[in-house]
Amino acid sequence: MMKEPKDETENNENRKNISSTVPNGISGDPAKTLGLLHGLRVCQDAWAPKSPWDRHGAHTALWGRPAGSFLVVQGSLSQDQLLCVSVGDSGEPVKEFSIMTTEKALRLTASHLAFPDLFQLLHFYTLSRDVLPVCLLVPSWVYTLKNLPDHLVPLLGPKTWLCPSSDLQAKSSMTPETAETAETVMCTIQVTAASGAMCFINPLYLHEHGDDWLTHSSANPVRHPLRRDKRLSTTRTWEGRGLKKRSSSPAEDCSTFNNDRGSFEKTPVTPSTTPGGVVLRRASGTSKEDPLKRASTDSIQSPLPQSPHRVSWIEDKIWLNSPLPSSQLQPPCLELDSLSVSSIEEESEPALSPSPSLPSHRFQLADKMKNRLSAVGQAIGGLMSPQRRLSNRVQEMAERKSGAFAEAVREFIEQTLTSEPTPEITYTEMLQEVRSSLTALREILFDSTEIQSITDSFGDTPDFELDSMLELALHKVALKPVYSHLYVCLKTARRDDGTLQRLEANKSILEDRNLEELEGAAGAGVPDSSVMEKILQRWTAMHEAYSPSKKVGTLLKVCKNIYHSMNANAKPGTVFGADDFLPCLTWVLLRSDVATLQVDTDYMMELLDPMQLQGEGGYYLTSLYAALFYISSFRPRVAKQQLSAEAHRSLSQWHRRRTLHCNQSRRSRNRRTIRRHGSSNGNRRTSEERNSLKASTESSSLTDDKSDTHESLQGLDEELQVLKEEEEGSADREQVQLPETIITSPQIDEKDRAVRVSWNERS
Amino acid sequence: MTLRELKVCLLGDTGVGKSSIVCRFVEDSFDPNINPTIGASFMTKTVQYQNELHKFLIWDTAGQERFRALAPMYYRGSAAAIIVYDITKEESFQTLKNWVKELRQHGPPNIVVAIAGNKCDLSDAREVSEKDAKDYADSIHAIFIETSAKNAININEVFTQISERIPVLDAEGGSAVKGFKLRRQPSVSTRERTCC
């Protein structure tokens, strides 16, 4: 699960590397961009020299030029033109791409993306490389080129075009930019000033509705209410930029919780039905403040090209479907992914580093004005990641008026929001209840044919991966509405039991100690102030996330920082294991907000999918828990045994938790059967199933408590005896009461028995 | 082939070479498809054992006396524990005996215990005789091997022997198990997954 965002980043990195000097999608100064089309037009002779220039001449001229430099020459064999691009590769420094001219459109033969004219085509490839190895590079003076004085015409040839030093000369001698009112001509490319992002607008829409709404008007940015509204309704997070704007944090300020935030958010999702209509793509998050500017072109009869590829965000169907009767054309709306408008809606996870989720990834792209269209395409187009598809569907299912899952989610939220720890129910039990419900909800999803039809398409994805994907999706629909409430409860409980106070008090005793005094080994470094600052930021991000999985992801980043600091000045080859890591982590904690971290740790500990507890995330979560426990239970002069006894008491609490996984056998045969059983019972989890989940939690605590009470001088034989009796007793009862267990899993193993034991005892 | 995740926890005094053993064990397992772990405290390695794949999730613990109380958090749910001592330090062998007791009382039922006498390359400075250690290990039905992380001696053997003692899946009577304790049957700590 954690791998996905990383891969994503790496992919982008790779892309960046490929396009080396001209990163895909960087468009330079946006204001300049507007002039590019015009500039290209004016100096066409420079980049598209006429005969006798041919491909050989172009190759020679381009040799050694910066990557992205290009010339367009006539192809030797056909009428078609060739785009020759310097790619800066030592093996093949210049590559050529033939440009195909169909009746009314031009396109690179390798791409299906067609343009009404060569200028637009080139313009596009300065912004997105699509099938090219690099983005095209245009000399900077072209951006401001408005008119070409006659006396300069003969001078302007490929040499000037390609020679970097010509910049100055050209600039000084050519007419500088004059304030020119943008012409209001129909266009197929629109460039917004802020980001340099491009939008494609269906000419049919323009034909039907005119282009008034496109007109440059800085005085009235909200000129097109319909479109604005759409945008606002679907892009709240673009303005919000995550939780930063949210009231600080639940644990820091209990009063910030309100019902509004706790309530279940609903976004009306209007399935878009404008296949032939709109190809307007979102420009950028910042475009709001900016007038919609555009570069002028002269064509409204942009042809309908063939199905595009590569730049996959133009969905096939939009182009392929025959246009609707013009009267049905809809105004442009944000149709980032018609598959789910709501997908844009959320994901307000604060992202310090590339967030694991695709949407914020997309926002980052937009925010940074990186028009990496192919990357964006993966996010929105047909190549939507499995996680997204699942999340979208789960979200949609949760928002339905009726349906088993929607009802179960609503019931869960309602119940959780009204529950509070009482003397009878500890916060741990309360959170365990939440965890059980999450597991139960996940099983409902597994049972649903809708989800199965999606997961079936994932091929051989192992069960545990599906689990964690569904987990993530669930966190959004189920945990997000309640997490503030849970935090309030947790914090209250931790304050009431004195943990937070002890942590704070001991922190002040310990914080002056250096690493050696914290039992750390000499040689391991500790984070310096800048790393420490980064770590503190990450703790904040971790605190603000509602998904325990994402929190753990952030925790891992912190631990990575710590390792890095440990190794910074160490002898090469030194291996730092837990002997060194734990003291170092403790050192870091003593410089952090321990109280908040304690609450975060509890939250993760109880709500993380138990399946993930044995892995790396589980390990470092355990270390965090252990280090906090070390601080909170620290007593300068306490006898070792005392501490140990106390530790064991606390540990029986610990054992009580996180035992679900023992009972979640992943033998899929059994699992499937059990699932079926679950669904046949109707739509909701029955109380019986809930009980069995709960019982599974209890079961281990039963055993563990036993070992705790038998702490002193527990003989092996005695214990064996007890367990034997337990087994024999349970075997009988289980057959009577729970026949389905036997049917579904012919070989009942002992843990199942244990579950049933406690289940029986409970009932 | 079935992939089983086996949590293995490392116990022993600080400085006996716990993490060196793990590093030596995982060093040759370069798999480009698997992200390396972020640090040496937690490492993984997958090995084939008969018709199963055993993915060892190796949890290191801090050996300092002050941190010993925290160990249960780490060893809970383990399929196996490797208790390491330093053959040149008698004291570390005594600590080992305490760990065995502790595991007996608080450890997961049926945990496989392996005792590793590390630094066997330093036999000149030996303080713990191999026979004594072996006898002790036999008396608690534990695996016993002398190892040298430095010279890569017997490192893989430790894990191979653990694999051998992990209860076979679906084994009804658990006859393949020669666990060091006879408590409840199948390990609660192994997760079975269908390998893709």
Side-chain angles (χ1 to χ4, degrees), chain A residues 395-571:
Chain A
Q395 176 99 18
E396 192 200 314
M397 284 170 72
E399 286 168 3
R400 281 178 199 159
K401 281 217 173 71
S402 60
F405 181 67
E407 274 166 30
V409 168
R410 275 194 285 273
E411 192 194 340
F412 161 77
I413 292 170
E414 203 175 300
Q415 236 174 40
T416 309
L417 287 179
T418 51
S419 65
E420 269 175 23
T422 58
E424 291 81 41
I425 308 164
T426 64
Y427 74 92
T428 333
E429 284 164 341
M430 184 184 154
L431 287 177
Q432 278 163 11
E433 184 67 32
V434 171
R435 179 61 250 176
S436 304
S437 306
L438 286 178
T439 309
L441 285 171
R442 199 175 67 197
E443 293 299 312
I444 297 183
L445 286 176
F446 258 117
D447 282 337
S448 111
T449 47
E450 279 180 83
I451 295 296
Q452 273 168 11
S453 68
I454 295 182
T455 53
D456 285 351
S457 69
F458 296 165
D460 283 340
T461 314
D463 261 5
F464 69 93
E465 268 181 43
L466 291 181
D467 273 344
S468 60
M469 286 162 80
L470 280 175
E471 268 294 309
L472 266 185
L474 252 185
H475 291 163
K476 195 154 125 190
V477 297
L479 225 39
K480 196 178 174 193
V482 301
Y483 87 106
S484 305
H485 176 68
L486 294 178
Y487 257 101
V488 173
C489 296
L490 254 177
K491 197 177 178 190
T492 313
R494 277 303 201 175
R495 180 159 287 147
D496 289 351
D497 73 8
T499 309
L500 301 188
Q501 293 89 324
R502 276 204 307 280
L503 272 171
E504 295 287 4
N506 289 346
K507 177 185 167 183
S508 54
I509 296 174
L510 288 167
E511 65 190 345
D512 294 332
R513 304 201 172 193
N514 61 28
L515 197 59
E516 280 76 21
E517 289 166 321
L518 291 169
E519 308 271 333
V526 288
D528 60 23
S529 57
S530 71
V531 177
M532 201 53 223
E533 197 175 315
K534 198 186 216 171
I535 289 176
L536 291 179
Q537 282 170 9
R538 294 214 151 124
W539 287 143
T540 311
M542 185 176 92
H543 174 67
E544 284 169 350
Y546 59 86
S547 157
S549 322
K550 288 185 179 171
K551 278 178 190 285
V552 170
T554 313
L555 170 64
L556 285 179
K557 284 179 196 157
V558 171
C559 294
K560 209 171 177 177
N561 288 344
I562 296 177
Y563 274 116
H564 193 79
S565 302
M566 287 166 72
N567 280 309
N569 295 313
K571 275 185 286 179

Side-chain angles (χ1 to χ4, degrees), chain A residues 745-750 753, chain B residues 167-177 184-186:
Chain A
S745 51
Q747 287 155 340
I748 312 151
D749 52 26
E750 294 301 318
R753 288 191 188 175
Chain B
V168 176
L169 281 185
D170 297 335
E172 221 160 340
S175 54
V177 189
R184 293 195 295 154
Q185 277 311 320

Side-chain angles (χ1 to χ4, degrees), chain A residues 590-607:
Chain A
L590 289 170
R591 279 144 194 85
S592 310
D593 179 357
V594 276
T596 304
L597 280 171
Q598 178 67 58
V599 180
D600 289 334
T601 309
D602 290 335
Y603 184 91
M604 288 186 268
M605 213 66 186
E606 301 298 346
L607 297 184

Side-chain angles (χ1 to χ4, degrees), chain A residues 236-245 348 350 363-364 367:
Chain A
R236 236 180 296 158
T237 46
W238 281 334
E239 297 138 296
R241 296 298 311 277
L243 286 166
K244 290 238 161 95
K245 264 196 168 171
S348 43
F363 300 147
Q364 280 184 342
D367 290 340

Side-chain angles (χ1 to χ4, degrees), chain A residues 563 579 616 654 666-667, chain B residues 38 41 63 66 76 170 192:
Chain A
Y563 274 116
D579 286 349
E616 192 166 32
W654 166 272
R666 293 290 130 175
R667 262 166 295 174
Chain B
I38 61 171
S41 309
R66 206 182 259 284
R76 67 171 291 284
D170 297 335
E192 306 98 45

Side-chain angles (χ1 to χ4, degrees), chain A residues 241-255:
Chain A
R241 296 298 311 277
L243 286 166
K244 290 238 161 95
K245 264 196 168 171
R246 287 173 171 233
S247 46
S248 56
S249 61
E252 273 160 27
D253 179 5
C254 299
S255 65

